[in-house]
Amino acid sequence: MTLSESGSLSLGSLLFQFTAADKIMPGTCEPAAVLDFDEDEKPDIHTLLLISAGTGTLRVADETFFCAPDKCYMIPPGTSYRLRMDSDRCLTYYRITCRIVYSQGSHTALYLKPLVRGRVEWSVYPFARAVRLADLLTESEPSGELQHFYRQLQFQELMGFLLEHNVNGPEPSSCTHAVENSIRYIQEHYRRPITVKFLAEQARVPHWQYSTIFQELTGKKPLDYLNELRIEKAKEWLQATREPLREIARRVGFADEYYFNRRFRQVTGITPRQYSQSVQKRTRIRDWTGHDVEIPALPRRIIYHGETFGDLAVLGVEAIGGGYPWINQTGRLKSPVKDIGFPINPAVTEALKPDLIIVSSDDESQYDTLRGIAPTLTFDSFAPLDERIGLLRTILGRRREAENWLARYEKKAAAMWSRLRASLQPDETASVFTFARDRFFVMGTIGLSSMLYHPDGFRPAGRTRRLLDKKLSYLELLPEEIKDYAGDRIFMLLPADAGSRSAATEFMKSPLWRELRAVRSGRCCAVEADEWNFADATTTEKFLDELPRLLGQEQIVPPHGGIRPGHKPEES
């Protein structure tokens, strides 16, 4: 009788036969470029996945799991699954397959059902032991019969270890229900002395299994969950009363004031006293998409997820989280900044314990998720530089820093354009183009073009003016339309990915490109998109130093295509 039929599994009736094992690492795969799950795997044997690094998403039939290190999944035969990597990094994981034969008397058949009913994600602790056994299975192919035999024994040891955690003892659903009840106990009795041992005993779940299930349900270890709950309750007392800290600590379950202070600072980044003072002063802001948000007067743990991450650096603000690759743009980071993913990963975001989240997105479903973690503001990262810095000045309490930087920037910009004026024609125009795969774009209000179209700088060329009037960030063009947007000077943004870069390079060999007046006169410049297609304050400031150098490195297109450095020909 199998678990699928009766709830109990006779392991003695099953024979496990190892078939293959692979370790998939970054560099041996490519991140998925699409959001949809496609090309599902549907193996006809049992498949075990052990996640050792990175993050991603696993869809098994109609159920979706967030993959992270120390996760384990057993997928039964005939069940479709799709493992998708995060867009910026690959997972490292082990994929191990096996056949399971059901034997009873003289009858044998392949066992095609789940080993644990209704459960794809398995518990495993310590995970390092599972990895050690998986490594043995992925070593070089055995050379003889005896090595094959030992490989089977190693696999049996791994399966025994996993089954011990997931088959013996109470039903998984019963264990989960028991742990859920203990979570409710914590919420009601957080003031009392509580240990993990006590909680596991009350739930009648083995200690190792209790902690694993608890973390699956809450995303936190039991004691971390308890302490964070106590601190949230302490925040309520700190807002409502001026009682001594030792009394507030006692009210929420901490044994002494010193430990309360230490844990409070670990979780929030500030002391209870500093928190008490800050909550008396809060700022109400109406954000980009119309939410009225009450935020701390002096937020300390800030997440900024947007293209203009470098705005914070000029204000002397260090964020704790952001989005790749924007967090790498400033070049001024003193401490590591956590990549919270794109799209934003709520679990990673919550783990950072922010007290303010600023996000350049109008996605309401994402906003609803984030505001459940911390006060959240939507922010127009495509707004003009002075507007963005002015708003951040209010949000972050950096009025003096913002005013000083804007004044210094405007003075520096005026000086730079004044020096260039002698080498520029009156009302000289400029255009910025780029490729994304085989699609061709002219840039409007964002990135490099927003810096070129300074009041003392270049003018938008041809139809590019319409983009700016409509406040369009960019516009896709047919290659033959370039003549309607090409200015006296042209900047081509070269993307980092090979496909887009190849498309740009080939286009710059074409007659359409070579016939442009800016190209023929040597007033075109190819620059790295990853370096210059940003309009944050840090990049904009760097632009003032680099633009004269970029203009001095403009290139001529030879008659037969390609690009080479050259001197500008004399005007006829």
Side-chain angles (χ1 to χ4, degrees), residues 357-501:
I357 301 171
I358 303 173
V359 58
S360 63
S361 169
D362 59 359
D363 184 337
E364 280 297 309
S365 62
Q366 175 182 262
Y367 178 85
D368 288 339
T369 300
L370 294 177
R371 71 174 181 172
I373 299 172
T376 300
L377 292 168
T378 59
F379 187 80
D380 183 7
S381 60
F382 293 160
L385 175 64
D386 56 345
E387 289 184 19
R388 299 197 314 269
I389 297 299
L391 182 55
L392 288 173
R393 170 187 65 188
T394 302
I395 295 172
L396 304 175
R398 300 280 176 152
R399 184 176 64 85
R400 184 177 60 184
E401 291 86 348
E403 291 175 353
N404 289 344
W405 184 84
L406 282 170
R408 186 173 67 251
Y409 170 77
E410 288 300 334
K411 182 178 180 180
K412 188 175 180 179
M416 188 273 292
W417 287 112
S418 178
R419 290 195 304 272
L420 286 178
R421 196 167 290 128
S423 60
L424 300 181
Q425 299 298 320
D427 294 325
E428 189 167 339
T429 60
S431 305
V432 182
F433 300 100
T434 193
F435 274 82
R437 296 296 178 186
D438 56 350
R439 299 169 65 188
F440 180 52
F441 295 88
V442 59
M443 306 307 294
T445 61
I446 63 170
L448 177 61
S449 57
S450 68
M451 296 184 279
L452 293 171
Y453 303 143
H454 186 273
D456 296 328
F458 293 106
R459 300 290 179 262
R463 294 184 180 179
T464 307
R465 165 54 64 186
R466 299 181 186 178
L467 272 70
L468 304 186
D469 291 341
K470 295 179 180 180
K471 298 184 178 180
L472 294 178
S473 305
Y474 50 82
L475 180 68
E476 184 173 2
L477 303 178
L478 296 172
E480 54 267 28
E481 294 179 290
I482 189 172
K483 62 182 182 298
D484 297 323
Y485 294 85
D488 299 318
R489 295 181 189 261
I490 292 177
F491 295 81
M492 175 64 81
L493 295 166
L494 298 176
D497 72 274
S500 302
R501 198 178 189 93

Side-chain angles (χ1 to χ4, degrees), residues 190-193 226-227 229-231 233-235 237-238 241 243-264 272-273:
Y190 62 88
R191 301 175 187 86
R192 299 181 180 178
L226 172 61
N227 282 322
L229 175 62
R230 287 171 170 170
I231 287 167
K233 297 297 181 181
K235 287 180 179 179
W237 282 103
L238 289 166
T241 182
E243 289 186 350
L245 291 182
R246 62 178 179 275
E247 181 60 22
I248 294 176
R250 185 191 63 80
R251 285 181 180 274
V252 298
F254 286 103
D256 61 75
E257 182 180 341
Y258 171 77
Y259 184 68
F260 169 55
N261 266 285
R262 185 160 64 88
R263 293 296 299 185
F264 193 101
R273 186 65 64 201

Side-chain angles (χ1 to χ4, degrees), residues 185 189-196 198-199 226 230 253-255:
Y185 176 90
H189 303 285
Y190 62 88
R191 301 175 187 86
R192 299 181 180 178
I194 296 175
T195 65
V196 179
F198 169 80
L199 294 170
L226 172 61
R230 287 171 170 170
F254 286 103

Side-chain angles (χ1 to χ4, degrees), residues 169-170 175 200 204-211:
C175 289
R204 296 185 179 181
V205 174
H207 185 285
W208 61 264
Q209 194 173 9
Y210 177 86
S211 295

Side-chain angles (χ1 to χ4, degrees), residues 2 31 45 78 80 89 130 163-164 175 279 291 317 319 353 362 412 446 456 469 509:
T2 68
I45 54 181
S80 63
R89 57 189 182 276
L163 290 169
E164 177 185 351
C175 289
V279 293
H291 309 104
V317 175
K353 302 179 179 63
D362 59 359
K412 188 175 180 179
I446 63 170
D456 296 328
D469 291 341
K509 298 176 183 177

Side-chain angles (χ1 to χ4, degrees), residues 127-147:
F127 192 80
R129 182 180 173 191
V131 167
R132 179 179 61 81
L133 293 169
D135 278 332
L136 293 174
L137 294 173
T138 56
E139 288 179 351
S140 58
E141 192 66 23
S143 57
E145 293 297 326
L146 189 58
Q147 282 83 1

Side-chain angles (χ1 to χ4, degrees), residues 84 236 289 318 394 417 442 461:
R84 182 172 69 95
E236 296 174 9
T289 52
E318 291 190 32
T394 302
W417 287 112
V442 59

Side-chain angles (χ1 to χ4, degrees), residues 87 183 288 370 375 403 485 513:
S87 60
I183 293 171
W288 173 41
L370 294 177
E403 291 175 353
Y485 294 85
W513 176 266

